[in-house]
Amino acid sequence: GAVVSQHPSRVICKSGTSVKIECRSLDFQATTMFWYRQFPKQSLMLMATSNEGSKATYEQGVEKDKFLINHASLTLSTLTVTSAHPEDSSFYICSARSPGLNTDTQYFGPGTRLTVL
Amino acid sequence: AQKITQTQPGMFVQEKEAVTLDCTYDTSDPSYGLFWYKQPSSGEMIFLIYQGSYDQQNATEGRYSLNFQKARKSANLVISASQLGDSAMYFCAMRYLNTGGFKTIFGAGTRLFVKA
């Protein structure tokens, strides 16, 4: 199957700092990437849909200025948590799909665990 | 509104036996896709199986099969011959076409424990 990577896998930062998470599709071009957030023992919640070369579409309740998404190339999308606070601590997962692959399958990255002190 | 429901927070199964994880969904769209994912303790989401709303036959992938009951709006996952490595969290998901493009929503998940 297709491979999606995320970096870093784990990050601990101080309150008030910004953290950037990278999501890369390693062996295919992803025109669309998705960013999810997962709290402990809970399900995945879609934060935003990222389309290459255009602005991300955010889900209701997700602050655009807080969670900056950039999808500058067909293989890379970044999520920046700006001025992070302890309540932003969570597991962030990206996924990718491409018209060139089975369009009915999303391939997920391994996730990034963010801890804000 | 679209909705995915998993009513079993936890399930136990004896090794080598089969287990069914329940999933019901709600949508008024005629075209949608149903997925099952496995999430081990490492956190990675692993795709297991897919069923399209227009597919006539139930999807199967190795030990995984999806019992698709369209009229009842259920998409239960059946794992045959359970293995210890099957212990994980399992999520049912539905993808549909939204105004902004395709969107996938997830159920609350079912934690499966396989006993030796």
Side-chain angles (χ1 to χ4, degrees):
Chain A
V3 178
V4 176
S5 70
Q6 275 185 248
H7 178 80
S9 59
R10 186 182 295 267
V11 58
I12 300 173
C13 68
K14 293 182 179 180
S15 184
T17 61
S18 293
V19 175
K20 179 185 283 189
I21 302 171
E22 293 185 349
C23 177
R24 292 182 185 271
S25 55
L26 298 185
D27 51 0
F28 68 101
Q29 293 183 328
T31 53
T32 305
M33 287 184 172
F34 304 90
W35 287 96
Y36 294 86
R37 183 174 182 177
Q38 186 179 30
F39 289 105
K41 299 183 180 180
Q42 293 190 23
S43 188
L44 280 72
M45 294 191 62
L46 180 65
M47 298 175 65
T49 301
S50 170
N51 293 299
E52 187 267 338
S54 63
K55 291 183 178 180
T57 303
Y58 289 82
E59 294 300 303
Q60 190 173 8
V62 179
E63 299 177 59
K64 301 179 183 180
D65 296 331
K66 175 78 172 174
F67 300 99
L68 301 178
I69 291 173
N70 183 280
H71 194 158
S73 76
L74 288 172
T75 59
L76 173 65
S77 176
T78 60
L79 168 67
T80 301
V81 183
T82 62
S83 186
H85 288 91
E87 57 267 29
D88 298 325
S89 298
S90 190
F91 192 54
Y92 293 88
I93 308 175
C94 74
S95 71
R97 63 186 292 265
S98 167
L101 297 175
N102 179 352
T103 57
D104 298 309
T105 303
Q106 283 178 244
Y107 297 93
F108 284 83
T112 296
R113 191 164 301 282
L114 171 64
T115 302
V116 184
L117 302 176
Chain B
Q2 283 76 6
K3 189 178 179 181
I4 284 277
T5 303
Q6 292 179 256
T7 58
Q8 306 156 314
M11 288 282 287
F12 286 87
V13 64
Q14 194 68 38
E15 190 180 12
K16 299 182 183 178
E17 292 186 352
V19 63
T20 298
L21 306 183
D22 295 342
C23 173
T24 58
Y25 60 93
D26 192 16
T27 180
S28 56
D29 293 341
S31 179
Y32 51 90
L34 298 162
F35 303 78
W36 277 93
Y37 290 91
K38 172 185 178 181
Q39 187 179 42
S41 57
S42 60
E44 183 176 2
M45 295 289 285
I46 302 169
F47 165 75
L48 297 178
I49 197 166
Y50 164 81
Q51 180 86 41
S53 59
Y54 294 116
D55 293 345
Q56 297 294 318
Q57 294 185 325
N58 288 345
T60 60
E61 289 286 348
R63 293 187 298 112
Y64 305 107
S65 61
L66 198 152
N67 185 1
F68 183 42
Q69 304 278 331
K70 194 170 183 177
R72 299 176 58 184
K73 293 187 177 179
S74 73
N76 298 340
L77 176 70
V78 180
I79 305 175
S80 62
S82 298
Q83 302 172 356
L84 295 178
D86 293 336
S87 293
M89 195 75 171
Y90 288 81
F91 290 99
C92 178
M94 178 175 68
R95 191 167 82 200
Y96 59 95
L97 188 59
N98 200 26
T99 51
F102 283 104
K103 181 176 177 178
T104 301
I105 56 173
F106 288 79
T110 296
R111 183 164 295 281
L112 178 66
F113 299 91
V114 180
K115 300 181 291 183

